Each structure stands twice: as structure tokens, then as C-alpha cells.
Amino acid sequence: MQETRNSINNIWGERTPYRGKWPVRVDQRVCEEPDKWVQSACVLCSNGCGIDIGVKDGKMVGVRGRKEDVVNFGRLGPKGLHGWVANNSKDRLTKPLIRKNGKLEEASWDEAMELIVKKSKEIIEKQTSLGIGFYTSGQLFLEEYYTLGVLGKAGLGTPHMDGNTRLCTATAAAALKISFGSDGQPGSYSDLDTTDCILHFGHNIASQQTVLWMRILDRLAGPNPPKIIVIDPRKTFTAEKATVHLAPKPGTNVPVMNGLLNLIIEAGHINKEYINAHTVGFEDLKKIVSKWPPERVEEVTGVPASKLREAAHILGTTKSLVSSVLQGVYQSMQATAAAVQINNLHLIRGLIGIEGSGIYQMNGQPTSQNTRECGADGDLPGFRNWGNKEHVQQLADLWNVELDKIPHWSPPTHAMQIWRFAETGSIKMLWISGTNPAVSMPELSRVRKILQKEDLFVIAQDAFHTETTRYADVVLPAAIWGEKTGCYTNVGRTVHISHKAIEPPGEAKSDLDIFIDYSRRMGFKDKDGTGLIKWNTAEEAFEAWKECTRGRPCDYTGMSYAKLTGGAGIQWPCNEKYPDGTPHIYTDGVFNTASDYCEAYGHDFDTGAAVTEEEYKAIDPKGKAFLKGADYVPPHEVPDEEYPLWLTTGRLVYHFHTRTKTGRSKDLQDAAPDGYVQISEQDATKYGIAEGDMLEVTSRRGKVVEPAKIGGIEPGTVFIPFHYGSWDNDDRPRAANELTITEWDAVSKQPHFKYAAVKINKTNGFLHKVSDVFDTIKDKFKQEEA
Amino acid sequence: MHIGKYIDLVHRTEEDLVKAFKLVANAHGDEVDVYQTCMLLSSWSQKLADEIEVFAKKYKEERDEEPDRLTQTLLKKTRKGGMALLRDLHDLYLIVSEVEVCCTILKQGATGLRDKELVASCEEVERQTKRQLSWLTTRMKSAAPQTLIVAE
């Protein structure tokens, strides 16, 4: 194996200090000298680094960062450098499987697809298409999501389609829509090259977007380094570099932000001109935050008033500011309300739409931006507004179907509700693509129960056997990254093309081919009786998608496969006006809030109630951004005598999602082989726990057994990484989501993974007993797999 | 002066709502968002009831001899299932609407009396009532198609 650096031991590599233009550093790792390099982009986090895939004799042999790409200038993180080996795994799914007499047996594509079609038609006959739901991913390509979106909305006509993006980025989209009228990040990664201050809110960027963190580390090592403010209950790698680190109790993000905004407004560190010209709602916001003096914030959140003042002074006086927000906010109480306060901060300071200042309502997954854009998360494609009849008509015209075919009578069904409909039996078929809900959803015992329901027909489309495929009635083997061509868009609106480098294994097919095949077999037609899906290849799908985006905020019309091939990624909007894409949007302070253009009419923060078209038109901000405040609502579950500790969950630097890929890289797996429970020194002493002791962690919903890891966390809180399920180790229950709670944010509908009340016990002899319980379940799985 | 009668009506209906929202929350605890939002809206009604109570003392709340027309018939027993949820949300909507009407009338009286505090309280009731109705509408609209067409 040849590698330019050891990214396992040194996650971020050598420093290239700078301010201005980020220098190139090419990271490469190959097991053999490739005979060709194929252009792609990394799919192991939302950063979207340009990557070349090395191929020799039709086999993937390595990767290198693309030096010309604006996202990474050649760098790659540990997941990017190592994760590709999963493509070559011996245990890839290579044939469709159908459950017969309780066992999954190999079948032909014809048999599998005909069974799905037969089931679909039976359900439609009895329940209409409301009996069918789709649960997709943040891993497919843009062309695949769009095809799925069209067949779901204009073929079947079901509103029940969402992605696991509901678990990771729904709040990003919701927060952007609430403040600016539509999805789409205002800034650009290049803002980091010159900014004076960076705020990370619930975002452990050092672990989650390692390459973006390299950019920040290089700024910190260069001239005029930026100040860093981190809001996170844990002392993460990111927090270690902070100028000021605020560590609030779980569930108290809104009070912290209200406290900061209050201090900034009180000190007069606001841009009145910008507020007057480009926003609405300042007085209401001021009224709400004025109730949060630092002393009250300290009482509720545990953040010392002096630290809050220090942070507010920096944020109030910096000349430029880049903020990033992620799961610590999105998966916690008052998710959307808290995320929106970051938008408010930038708006009241006028730090938006200019170089050096940007907002990143971050994404978790590499292609989740496309799930949102293309309508595979239930939203209408092209950031169209389901409440606006004209927007729906545009789609009906584009697809040549009747307006009423497209479900638009109420908000699209979010994932948690789709699962609820399956639980109560009104959804009879659930088509899961590219995701593993049996590990990633909250309250896993419930998820397993639903997947096992007799009256639910489950399709799992994946590259590997997962904890979810165990329950599937049909398993479809999917081609993955490197084995198909398509595009995807990172959190910075940067679109990359990923060319097919190698053939998929066995009979595995791209998700695009599978969806097109389903649509044809179902006989979905347009008004003139010709096939609904008018494309056969990824490039044709991309061309169709371009038309769908014309005139919308995410305008792709100026792009093409040819234009995306060869150089760097391109940031939308890319059209006649911006032929080379756009680093910043909202440069003129005009936002997408006009009533005829906006993607949503808004929601009540506390209840999620949808604002109606009439109500919105009455207050039409016509391009001004909304400043929306929120008062504190305490979490629904708080520690008590029985369950005295907070549990928070999250990711590790070496793994992605449920490790279906990263767990198959020996190096990544060895670097982070197992789950653990992180506990403070104080709590360890209190409970008499030593490092490595096996602890049983129990919530009202389930239990796990994890080794103790001591330190780096506030007393009263414990942390468990969520990656570890049972596909490669079922000796003990260890998936963090056994413990998490079924509830979600009122606006974004994103589940609350970041807090639950738990208790811990040292297992001693008890571990054995727990194993016994799980042995019975294990036996069951073994039977199914046999 | 009969303003006490309408103060009583708003006050009593809000108190009914405190109970009604809790009742629906508990009957449909498996619909997590319904449970949590109904508990929240119940707490709003409690706040409003407390706020109006101050005026009941000031103006001598006049007990309306008529029985509660709505709460007598609505939400008498708890029901389970999808259709029951829809009917319960529908009932809540009607009771909240009763507050809305009562408050419109009360506010007219308060304005005529130049009682700024009572007007402000009426406006608070109007504002929160509108938010309650808005959530009920949103939730009913999303539940209706599945319940009316698919659920068994």
C-alpha cells in the first residue's frame, strides 16, 4: 500500500498555513499503481471533496484528491482515503433476493421486480397509492433522486416519500426556508480563507468534515488567524481549538443563542441599515431575546455568564463571520428555532452575501442536498412550494400530467410519520433504498417491530446485507459510487460529477436503472400515453433535471456533464446570468421570500402549524429575510431519580452512518472497532467506574452494554457513538438508538437523537445475563439468514 | 352590565380546553407529536385562563346559567385509532373556536369600557387561539387523506 500520509494516526495531516488562497496538498492512497484515474467526488461526508478513483484491470485500487477542486485542493480525510475498499468487499450483494418460507433466496431481476409490481398493484387496488411509502437516502445520486421523485409524485401519486436525510439535514433545509424563503446555503467554503471569526454550533467539524477542518487549522497556523467559538456540550477536537468554548446542557440551545443575540443587540453591535433594508421582524426578535440576560442563561444552560459575554463580544465586533450548524442543534430540542438564531445573528450584523461571511446550515451526508432539491425527501423538486398551486402546475406541465396527480393537499409525509403509518397498518409497502433504519432510526425496538409486521411488504435496496435487509421481503442489489455515473451537490451548492470507474459486482444495478425499470413495469404514463420517465441514462436524467430547475434558486441550466468533467465542481445557480456558477447568493440582500417564489410559507416554531397562502400573502416580505425569535421550551424528557443522566449520541471521525462501508475497511475499523460510553471523571468516581468497565446503559426504551471511556464530557451527560449495530458483532446490544426517543422537531420533523434520560449500571456478572436475552434474538437472525 | 358573563365564558372554556387537550394527548399518546403538542397547547390554555381570571374578580364573573353547550357534548369519552384522532382534533377545533367567538365579543365590551388591560388580554387570547386553530388545521389536513381513504 502506498500512501502520501497516514490519516489514521494523523487525521488532518501536515499544515499548509495560509490566509487568502488555500495551498494545494494532494493526498493519495493506492494499493497498486493505477492504469487510469477516473474523476469523482467523495461520498463519505457532506463536504464533497473532489477525488480521483484509481483503476487497474477493471478494479478499484486507490484514490487521490483532486488538486484542482475548490472544495479540497487535493486533500482527503481518513474516510475518503480508506472507505473505497468497501467496493471490493467479498460480501457485496450480487443477486436479488426474495423471501420464501421465511428465508431470503436468490432470484432473478425479473422475478424480484415482477413481485414488487404485483404487490404495488394489489395495494393500489385496495388502498390507493397512499398504501405505498418510500424511505430513501442521502447516498444516491441526483439523477436517481429525481427519477424517484417523478415516479413517486407523478407515477404513483403518493405523498409518502422521504429520506434518512430527515435524520440528518431536515433542519438545515427548514431553517434556511424560514429565514430566507428557500433552501440553499448563502456562503461559500472560500469564506473560510479570509474570515476573522468562525462559529461552530453543535458541529464537531474536526471529526465530521475533516477536510474543511484542515482548512481552518491551516488558517489558524497562518497570519491573522480567525477566532473560533464553539458551542458543544462535549470537549471535542473542535472545542479544543476554540477561543471560547460554551458547553450548554443538552436541550438548551435556544437560551444560549437568545443570550448571545441579546448581548449583541444591547451593545448596539448591529447593522441597523441592513436590518431596515433587508429584514422584517427585528422588534419581535428583540423583545424575545431581551428576556435572556446572561445570568438567566447561566441558570438554564450552565454556560457561565462571563463566557457568554466573551463570546458575544467577539461575535458582535468581528468584521466577518462564518457559522456552521449541525446535529448538536438539528437533533436536539427546538432544532429549527435554534438553527434559525444563527441566521438571525448574521442578518442583524449584516454579515451575509459578502466574501468572508457565510452560513453553513451543514448537511450530514454527501448527497442529502440532492434529496432535498430533487423532491426525494417529500419536498417538491426545484425548491417548489407545495402550498403554491402555480408551482405544482409548473411540475404538472413539465411532466405532462394532470395537476391533481401530484400530491399537494398537505405537507408531504415526513419519515417519522411514514413509519407511523406503517406501524398502524395503512402503509402496506415500504421501499427502503440506500439506508439502514434498523440501526439509524430512534428507538430501534420499535423499528424492528414495524419491519417485522406481517402486513408490511419491505423492499431493501442496498449494496450489502444490513440489519435492515434481515427483515426485507425483497432485497435488491445496488451498484454504488464508482460503479455508476451521476452528480451530487455538497453543502456549499457545489455540484460534482462522478464517473463510472468500474463495473458493479454480479448482477447489481444502479438505483437509477432499478427505478426506471419499476416505472416502466408499472406502466406509468403521461397525459399523452407515453412513458412518464423519458430518460434511460444518467446524462439524460440530468438534462431533464436541468429543465426542472430553470428559474428556481437551484438553477442547474448552465451545467452539463461535459462542463462538470475535467475541472472543479460548480456552484449553483449556474445559468445564462452565472455561466460559471455563483460563490455567494443574496449578495444584493434580496432573499427568496416573495410569496410567488418562496419554497414554503413558514411554520409556527412551537407547534409546526403551517402558515397558509393567504396569511403569507398578507405579510409578503417581498425579498426581505425573516428575523424570527423563539422562546425556550424545555426538553420533553429530562433526567430524574430513576434515569439520572443525559444521553447524547453522535459520530466518530473514522466511521460513516452505520459503517456499511467504513466498517469494511480494516484500517478504519481497527481505528474505531467498537462502541463505548463516554462519561465524565466526576460521574466515573461517583459510580466507581474504571476505564474499560462494561456498563449497562438503560433508557425507558431499551438497553445497551458498552465499555466506559472516561473524560472529555460534562458531568451528568454520557455519550455513545451511533454507528455500531449488529451486522459484524452481535455479542451484545450496542446500537445507541436502542435508547433514543421517538419524537421530533415540530417544524423540521427531525428526530431528537441528542437527548434522552438514561441510567448506568456496572454489569459485573450481569453482562452474562443480558447476553442470554440477546442470544434468543441472535438465534432468530441466524435462522433468517440461513 | 353583563360583561362578567363573557369573562366567565372565556375563562371556563379555556379551563375546559386545558382538560380537553390533555384528554386528547393521553388518548393518542402513540401519536407522539399529537401528545406533545396537545400538552403544550393545554399549558397555553392554562396561562390564558389564569390571565382572564384576574378580570373575573374585577368585574364579578357572572356565572352563565346555560350549560356549556359544546363541552357537554364534545370529547366525552376517549377514543382510539385513526378516525378517532381525526374526530378528537375536530372536536378540539370546535371548542377552540368557541373561545375565539367569545373573545371577539368580550373584546368589544372591553374596548367600549376603555379597559386597556382587558383588551390586551383579549388580544393575547386571540393570538394564542389562532395558533391553536392553526395547528389543529394543519394536523387534521395531514391526517385526513390517510384516515378517510386507506385506514381500515
Side-chain angles (χ1 to χ4, degrees):
Chain A
M1 189 66 66
Q2 297 172 309
E3 57 181 7
T4 55
R5 70 186 192 94
N6 184 331
S7 62
I8 301 290
N9 295 337
N10 184 349
I11 297 166
W12 308 286
E14 294 278 305
R15 295 282 56 79
T16 49
Y18 85 113
R19 185 184 187 279
K21 174 109 179 88
W22 197 22
V24 166
R25 179 191 89 193
V26 175
D27 296 341
Q28 177 176 321
R29 187 170 178 277
V30 295
C31 59
E32 284 182 80
E33 192 54 36
D35 27 73
K36 64 171 177 179
W37 290 101
V38 180
Q39 181 183 353
S40 178
C42 185
V43 286
L44 289 166
C45 84
S46 63
N47 204 49
C49 295
I51 200 170
D52 284 326
I53 302 171
V55 179
K56 185 182 165 69
D57 302 329
K59 199 174 160 231
M60 218 177 263
V61 293
V63 291
R64 70 175 180 203
R66 286 177 64 78
K67 62 180 185 305
E68 56 276 79
D69 201 274
V70 291
V71 170
N72 54 321
F73 294 100
R75 290 164 190 77
L76 293 174
K79 291 192 285 279
L81 286 166
H82 290 268
W84 57 271
V85 299
N87 282 67
N88 299 337
S89 293
K90 296 278 174 277
D91 59 347
R92 286 286 301 274
L93 291 168
T94 55
K95 281 196 165 187
L97 307 170
I98 293 177
R99 190 169 298 278
K100 286 177 185 160
N101 304 318
K103 286 184 196 160
L104 285 172
E105 290 178 7
E106 285 187 0
S108 70
W109 273 102
D110 259 340
E111 283 174 282
M113 293 307 290
E114 280 307 315
L115 176 61
I116 294 171
V117 167
K118 181 172 153 260
K119 268 278 166 193
S120 302
K121 288 185 172 165
E122 278 171 19
I123 291 165
I124 291 167
E125 177 75 22
K126 275 196 201 152
Q127 272 94 16
T128 76
S129 61
L130 293 176
I132 299 176
F134 292 84
Y135 185 59
T136 185
S137 173
Q139 308 283 320
L140 311 190
F141 292 178
L142 169 166
E143 296 80 355
E144 298 170 328
Y145 293 131
Y146 184 56
T147 305
L148 180 61
V150 177
L151 82 83
K153 285 164 186 55
L156 285 165
T158 175
H160 307 324
M161 181 182 291
D162 202 354
N164 65 6
T165 49
R166 188 63 60 188
L167 318 180
C168 80
T169 71
T171 304
L176 293 166
K177 286 184 221 176
I178 291 234
S179 298
F180 309 128
S182 85
D183 199 342
Q185 308 287 348
S188 188
Y189 285 167
S190 57
D191 293 326
L192 291 170
D193 301 341
T194 56
T195 194
D196 302 304
C197 183
I198 302 169
L199 166 62
H200 297 302
F201 187 18
H203 181 200
N204 181 12
I205 183 174
S207 285
Q208 314 317 349
Q209 280 82 21
T210 53
V211 174
L212 206 55
W213 183 240
M214 293 171 201
R215 203 163 182 155
I216 294 169
L217 287 177
D218 285 347
R219 275 298 315 280
L220 290 176
N224 300 319
K227 293 201 165 77
I228 311 272
I229 294 171
V230 173
I231 308 176
D232 195 314
R234 290 193 301 142
K235 194 157 180 59
T236 57
F237 288 134
T238 313
E240 280 172 15
K241 291 284 179 189
T243 318
V244 183
H245 173 205
L246 310 179
K249 289 177 197 155
T252 62
N253 289 324
V254 163
V256 171
M257 282 309 299
N258 282 355
L260 289 171
L261 293 174
N262 176 48
L263 286 168
I264 290 166
I265 293 171
E266 273 205 331
H269 292 147
I270 54 172
N271 184 336
K272 283 188 188 142
E273 218 172 293
Y274 193 90
I275 292 170
N276 290 337
H278 301 297
T279 71
V280 293
F282 178 71
E283 288 306 320
D284 286 341
L285 174 69
K286 189 175 158 185
K287 199 169 141 197
I288 291 171
V289 302
S290 68
K291 290 186 278 182
W292 289 92
E295 294 71 25
R296 184 176 176 213
V297 175
E298 175 167 345
E299 204 183 298
V300 174
T301 68
V303 171
S306 58
K307 280 209 166 187
L308 194 78
R309 285 202 177 88
E310 204 185 332
H313 183 74
I314 295 171
L315 293 169
T317 53
T318 182
K319 290 195 174 64
S320 53
L321 172 66
V322 175
S323 298
S324 73
V325 188
L326 197 60
Q327 311 307 2
V329 175
Y330 298 167
Q331 297 178 342
S332 194
M333 192 64 195
Q334 295 188 279
T336 309
V340 159
Q341 302 317 310
I342 291 290
N343 301 343
N344 291 344
L345 168 63
H346 281 256
L347 287 166
I348 64 171
R349 295 231 46 229
L351 297 177
I352 188 166
I354 48 174
E355 212 182 292
S357 289
I359 299 167
Y360 282 98
Q361 298 286 353
M362 290 299 289
N363 297 346
Q365 295 181 79
T367 76
S368 51
Q369 188 66 42
N370 304 111
T371 320
R372 276 144 55 181
E373 290 169 2
C374 300
D377 70 341
D379 282 348
L380 293 183
F383 296 159
R384 285 180 176 79
N385 184 348
W386 60 266
N388 182 336
K389 269 234 156 73
E390 272 177 39
H391 284 193
V392 186
Q393 187 63 52
Q394 287 166 11
L395 292 175
D397 292 344
L398 182 71
W399 300 334
N400 191 30
V401 297
E402 297 292 345
L403 174 82
D404 287 342
K405 184 77 197 183
I406 303 168
H408 63 280
W409 47 75
S410 67
T413 320
H414 59 92
M416 300 305 287
Q417 187 65 53
I418 291 176
W419 284 83
R420 177 68 184 148
F421 284 150
E423 187 174 32
T424 53
S426 72
I427 282 183
K428 302 283 184 198
M429 174 171 140
L430 188 58
W431 190 327
I432 300 164
S433 48
T435 189
N436 186 12
V439 178
S440 57
M441 294 275 291
E443 198 178 347
L444 292 178
S445 58
R446 172 175 173 262
V447 172
R448 285 190 292 265
K449 243 183 245 164
I450 297 171
L451 286 169
Q452 279 169 303
K453 283 190 69 178
E454 287 277 327
D455 66 343
L456 182 69
F457 186 76
V458 177
I459 303 161
Q461 183 168 315
D462 212 306
F464 295 99
H465 266 302
T466 65
E467 290 82 347
T468 302
T469 59
R470 283 171 186 165
Y471 304 104
D473 296 287
V474 176
V475 177
L476 300 175
I480 52 174
W481 168 85
E483 298 162 359
K484 57 187 183 181
T485 295
C487 296
Y488 32 97
T489 308
N490 79 350
V491 67
R493 293 176 283 107
T494 306
V495 184
H496 284 110
I497 191 163
S498 176
H499 285 285
K500 180 175 174 173
I502 57 168
E503 289 299 324
E507 295 176 27
K509 279 189 191 181
S510 73
D511 301 276
L512 179 71
D513 287 344
I514 297 169
F515 293 143
I516 291 176
D517 186 27
Y518 175 68
S519 184
R520 302 250 157 94
R521 287 177 194 260
M522 287 296 289
F524 295 141
K525 299 275 195 282
D526 68 8
K527 270 196 301 202
D528 300 330
T530 54
L532 177 70
I533 307 291
K534 297 180 170 49
W535 48 90
N536 295 302
T537 66
E539 187 165 8
E540 287 165 12
F542 186 80
E543 289 299 315
W545 164 242
K546 278 164 61 179
E547 273 317 302
C548 186
T549 65
R550 190 177 291 282
R552 295 300 300 162
C554 55
D555 196 328
Y556 281 68
T557 50
M559 297 185 205
S560 66
Y561 270 25
K563 196 164 174 171
L564 288 162
T565 300
I570 300 172
Q571 286 170 289
W572 61 247
C574 173
N575 49 23
E576 277 179 18
K577 194 172 165 199
Y578 306 105
D580 298 316
T582 318
H584 292 92
I585 54 177
Y586 309 135
T587 50
D588 51 2
V590 178
F591 299 89
N592 297 333
T593 52
S595 62
D596 57 352
Y597 193 65
C598 65
E599 187 183 0
Y601 294 133
H603 299 269
D604 187 309
F605 273 151
D606 294 325
T607 66
V611 176
T612 65
E613 188 176 10
E614 298 76 42
E615 287 165 343
Y616 193 88
K617 280 188 169 159
I619 53 137
D620 193 344
K622 296 185 178 130
K624 288 187 177 183
F626 286 103
L627 291 168
K628 272 195 187 161
D631 217 334
Y632 173 52
V633 182
H636 300 116
E637 185 173 88
V638 294
D640 53 19
E641 267 180 29
E642 199 184 354
Y643 297 93
L645 295 165
W646 285 111
L647 165 74
T648 186
T649 69
R651 295 184 276 178
L652 300 176
V653 65
Y654 299 109
H655 285 301
F656 189 74
H657 212 238
T658 63
R659 295 179 307 119
T660 39
K661 286 172 99 176
T662 52
R664 285 176 170 86
S665 150
K666 190 176 179 306
D667 298 320
L668 293 174
Q669 182 61 21
D670 288 350
D674 207 338
Y676 59 81
V677 53
Q678 187 178 7
I679 183 166
S680 69
E681 289 91 349
Q682 291 91 328
D683 287 329
T685 309
K686 189 168 142 192
Y687 288 90
I689 292 162
E691 181 99 0
D693 276 355
M694 288 304 268
L695 304 183
E696 187 182 79
V697 186
T698 315
S699 78
R700 290 184 173 83
R701 296 154 292 275
K703 66 175 77 172
V704 296
V705 177
E706 312 277 4
K709 187 178 153 147
I710 296 170
I713 192 162
E714 292 292 305
T717 304
V718 298
F719 168 83
I720 301 177
F722 89 101
H723 306 291
Y724 300 91
S726 56
W727 63 263
D728 56 339
N729 176 357
D730 56 2
D731 289 348
R732 61 171 219 273
R734 59 173 185 164
N737 283 320
E738 302 288 351
L739 309 174
T740 47
I741 193 166
T742 298
E743 60 170 48
W744 52 86
D745 182 59
V747 179
S748 70
K749 320 297 183 196
Q750 187 159 348
H752 292 161
F753 293 100
K754 293 295 184 193
Y755 67 82
V758 296
K759 60 182 171 189
I760 52 172
N761 291 302
K762 278 173 77 170
T763 52
N764 296 333
F766 194 47
L767 174 63
H768 183 66
K769 246 181 167 172
V770 175
S771 302
D772 285 349
V773 174
F774 278 82
D775 276 345
T776 55
I777 300 172
K778 248 168 27 185
D779 288 343
K780 193 164 172 300
F781 287 163
K782 274 177 190 152
Q783 278 167 15
E784 286 193 15
E785 279 176 328
Chain B
M1 192 157 81
H2 294 295
I3 195 160
K5 202 165 235 176
Y6 266 87
I7 290 173
D8 174 51
L9 268 175
V10 173
H11 182 211
R12 237 183 328 145
T13 320
E14 286 294 1
E15 284 193 326
D16 287 344
L17 271 176
V18 173
K19 284 182 237 146
F21 273 118
K22 277 189 189 153
L23 192 75
V24 174
N26 289 314
H28 304 283
D30 290 342
E31 306 291 340
V32 179
D33 61 327
V34 171
Y35 176 82
Q36 290 179 345
T37 315
C38 282
M39 292 305 277
L40 178 71
L41 301 195
S42 170
S43 74
W44 290 2
S45 284
Q46 186 63 61
K47 261 191 208 152
L48 297 175
D50 294 347
E51 188 159 342
I52 291 293
E53 201 176 10
V54 178
F55 299 97
K57 285 177 191 131
K58 184 172 170 186
Y59 288 102
K60 291 203 186 76
E61 196 168 46
E62 191 180 330
R63 201 78 192 169
D64 195 328
E65 290 310 314
E66 274 180 79
D68 285 358
R69 281 168 300 183
L70 281 163
T71 43
Q72 285 284 311
T73 48
L74 301 175
L75 285 170
K76 273 290 127 182
K77 52 177 189 271
T78 54
R79 304 171 275 205
K80 293 237 177 246
M83 183 53 87
L85 172 66
L86 206 51
R87 299 294 297 152
D88 286 349
L89 295 174
H90 185 162
D91 282 2
L92 282 173
Y93 189 96
L94 294 176
I95 305 173
V96 180
S97 303
E98 169 75 359
V99 173
E100 195 183 32
V101 177
C102 292
C103 192
T104 303
I105 294 168
L106 179 60
K107 194 177 152 194
Q108 288 303 102
T111 314
L113 284 167
R114 277 86 176 167
D115 185 335
K116 288 203 176 83
E117 280 93 26
L118 183 54
V119 171
S121 289
C122 286
E123 280 168 357
E124 183 61 11
V125 173
E126 280 176 344
R127 197 175 71 86
Q128 293 296 74
T129 300
K130 189 163 175 281
R131 293 175 77 195
Q132 289 174 328
L133 289 175
S134 178
W135 176 74
L136 288 164
T137 306
T138 302
R139 195 61 181 80
M140 284 189 290
K141 279 173 85 172
S142 69
Q146 203 72 8
T147 307
L148 300 184
I149 300 169
V150 197
E152 277 148 14

